[in-house]
C-alpha cells in the first residue's frame, strides 16, 4: 500500500504541471498561427453593477465589481467578448442570412412569374399582323393575275 501511495504521489507531481501545460498550449497555439505582438499591453477594466432584490417590504441593492481583461494595441482598446455576446451575434447573423434567403426566394419567384408572363405574351399570335399580311398577299395575287391577263391580251 505504501508503494502505491508513493507511486501515485510521484505520478501526480510529475504528470502535468501547470508550467508544462502552459508550454504545451503555447506551442500548440504557435503551430496553429499565433502571432506575438510586441507593442501591446494588457489592462484590466473594472465595471460596477448593482442588483436589486427584495427583503420583506424593502428593496436593497448589492454592488458587484466585475473585472475584464483587455488588450491595448496602439491606443486601440480591444475587449474580449463574452460567450453570451458571441452567441447573440451569431444568432443575429444567422437571422440576417435567413431573411436574405427568404427575400431572394420571393424575388426569384416574382421574377419567374414575370418571365412566364413575358413568354406568354411573346407566344401570342399577332392576328392583326397576320390579317394585314394575308390581305397584302391576296392583293398582290389579284394584281398579278390582272396584269397577266392584260399581258396575254396585248
Amino acid at each position: 500500500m505504501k508503494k502505491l501511495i508513493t507511486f501515485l504521489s510521484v505520478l501526480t507531481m510529475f504528470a502535468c504541471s501547470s508550467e508544462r501545460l502552459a508550454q504545451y498550449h503555447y506551442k500548440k497555439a504557435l503551430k496553429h498561427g499565433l502571432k506575438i505582438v510586441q507593442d501591446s499591453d494588457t489592462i484590466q477594466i473594472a465595471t460596477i453593477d448593482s442588483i436589486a432584490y427584495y427583503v420583506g417590504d424593502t428593496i436593497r441593492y448589492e454592488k458587484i465589481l466585475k473585472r475584464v481583461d483587455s488588450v491595448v494595441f496602439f491606443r486601440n482598446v480591444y475587449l474580449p467578448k463574452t460567450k453570451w455576446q458571441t452567441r447573440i451575434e451569431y444568432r443575429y447573423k444567422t437571422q440576417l442570412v435567413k431573411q436574405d434567403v427568404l427575400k431572394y426566394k420571393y424575388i426569384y419567384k416574382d421574377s419567374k412569374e414575370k418571365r412566364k408572363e413575358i413568354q406568354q405574351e411573346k407566344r401570342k399570335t399577332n392576328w392583326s399582323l397576320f390579317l394585314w399580311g394575308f390581305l397584302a398577299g391576296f392583293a398582290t395575287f389579284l394584281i398579278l393575275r390582272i396584269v397577266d391577263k392584260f399581258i396575254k391580251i396585248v
Side-chain angles (χ1 to χ4, degrees), residues 54-80:
Y54 289 102
V55 176
D57 294 337
T58 60
I59 299 175
R60 294 192 183 175
Y61 292 96
E62 183 176 333
K63 290 183 180 178
I64 298 173
L65 181 67
K66 291 183 181 179
R67 294 187 182 271
V68 177
D69 287 339
S70 66
V71 181
V72 179
F73 292 106
F74 303 110
R75 298 183 186 171
N76 295 331
V77 177
Y78 170 72
L79 290 172

Side-chain angles (χ1 to χ4, degrees), residues 9-23:
S9 63
V10 169
L11 185 67
T12 55
M13 287 174 56
F14 294 110
C16 193
S17 65
S18 60
E19 294 85 16
R20 285 186 186 174
L21 191 61
Q23 283 182 348

Side-chain angles (χ1 to χ4, degrees), residues 87-127:
R87 181 180 285 182
I88 290 169
E89 285 182 2
Y90 177 74
R91 283 184 184 168
Y92 179 70
K93 287 179 184 178
T94 55
Q95 285 175 354
L96 285 177
V97 168
K98 286 179 184 177
Q99 288 174 357
D100 287 344
V101 166
L102 290 175
K103 181 175 82 173
Y104 288 119
K105 179 180 174 182
Y106 289 122
I107 288 173
Y108 174 74
K109 191 181 279 186
D110 290 341
S111 65
K112 193 174 181 182
E113 290 172 359
K114 287 179 183 177
R115 195 170 45 220
K116 281 184 180 179
E117 290 174 3
I118 290 171
Q119 287 176 352
Q120 287 176 354
E121 287 177 6
K122 285 182 179 178
R123 287 182 191 158
K124 289 182 180 177
T125 307
N126 194 351
W127 290 107

